[in-house]
Every structure is written in C-alpha cells, then in structure tokens.
Amino acid sequence: ELASYLLHQFDIEEAQAFSIATLSGGAVGKALTLLQRSRAERGNESILGEEIPEILTATDRLAAFRIAEKLSQNPDALDHLITWYRDVLLLHQGAPIDLMTHPHHVESLKQFAPRYSRSHLQSAIKTILETKNLIKRNVNATLALEVMTLKLIRET
C-alpha cells in the first residue's frame, strides 16, 4: 500500500517506490525521509539500495576498510545491507521474486548467489544485526563496522 501511495503521490519509478516502502518497514515517515534523502543526493543511489553493495562481491580484505567507512556515513546502511543478504537467501530458498526487496536485480544476484551457502547468508545477517546492536550500545562504530566487514568478506 505504501509503495502504491508513493508511486501515485511522487514522480518515482515503481522499483524505487517498492524499495523505499520495503526499506522503511512500512513506516510512512521513514519512507518520506528516505525519498527526501534520495532526492537530495541524486548521485547516490545506494541510499535506496538500488546498487548492489560492494561487500557482496568483494574478496579483497583491504576493501573491508573502505566499505566500513562508507557504511559509517549512512546510518541506515546496515538495514539496507540486510535486505540484500535476505534477497540472496530468498533466491537460495526458491522463493517467489515478488517477495524480494530488490526484484529488479534478480539476474545480477543469481550470478554470485552460488558463492554463498544458506548458513553463510544467515550468519551474515546475524553479524549485521549484532553490529547494529553494538553501535546502539555506543561501541566504537568504526571499529564495529570494520570487524563486521572483515567477517563478511572472510566468510565468502
């Protein structure tokens, strides 16, 4: 319903409306904030999760630090990252594409999905959630994100 509302009230594409609705968890206020932020930062599509995160394809451990720095600049980035891992997990499960957050990237996700096992994907989501909790408890965010990205890259 939220995606339909966004589609009719704002001049956005259907995929973008669906992504915003999903990423906001159905919260209208958060959806409007995401939409506003995406319009303010036109060149940065990653806010809406429109670009496959580098961490899913990275194998270089040095990239972990660069990725952690990018994640630290966007507080909603971890929630968005979870949606990508979830989509790959859904592909493994053979779930319908309409359950995915990023259905317009199915073909790209299918290319590297075989690199991941179900247990790895579940572990990755758990690691991201644990990192979110650490940051909420005022642990050094940069350090927590660096450890998380190293774990995610090491596990691939």
Side-chain angles (χ1 to χ4, degrees), residues 52-58 81 84-85 88 109 112 115-116 156:
I52 296 175
E54 182 182 3
I55 190 117
L56 285 169
T57 58
L81 188 56
W84 285 98
Y85 278 100
V88 177
L109 292 174
F112 62 86
R115 288 182 24 198
Y116 295 98
T156 58

Side-chain angles (χ1 to χ4, degrees), residues 10-77:
F10 302 96
D11 185 28
I12 59 175
E13 295 179 18
E14 184 176 357
Q16 185 182 19
F18 183 74
S19 291
I20 290 172
T22 303
L23 294 171
S24 70
V28 176
K30 189 171 182 179
L32 294 175
T33 300
L34 286 170
L35 180 61
Q36 183 180 25
R37 195 180 311 164
S38 72
R39 287 184 172 176
E41 299 178 18
R42 279 277 178 191
N44 185 0
E45 291 184 16
S46 64
I47 287 173
L48 299 175
E50 295 300 324
E51 184 179 295
I52 296 175
E54 182 182 3
I55 190 117
L56 285 169
T57 58
T59 55
D60 176 22
R61 288 187 180 217
L62 291 176
F65 298 101
R66 183 182 65 252
I67 294 167
E69 185 178 336
K70 287 181 186 177
L71 290 172
S72 70
Q73 296 171 359
N74 182 359
D76 295 324

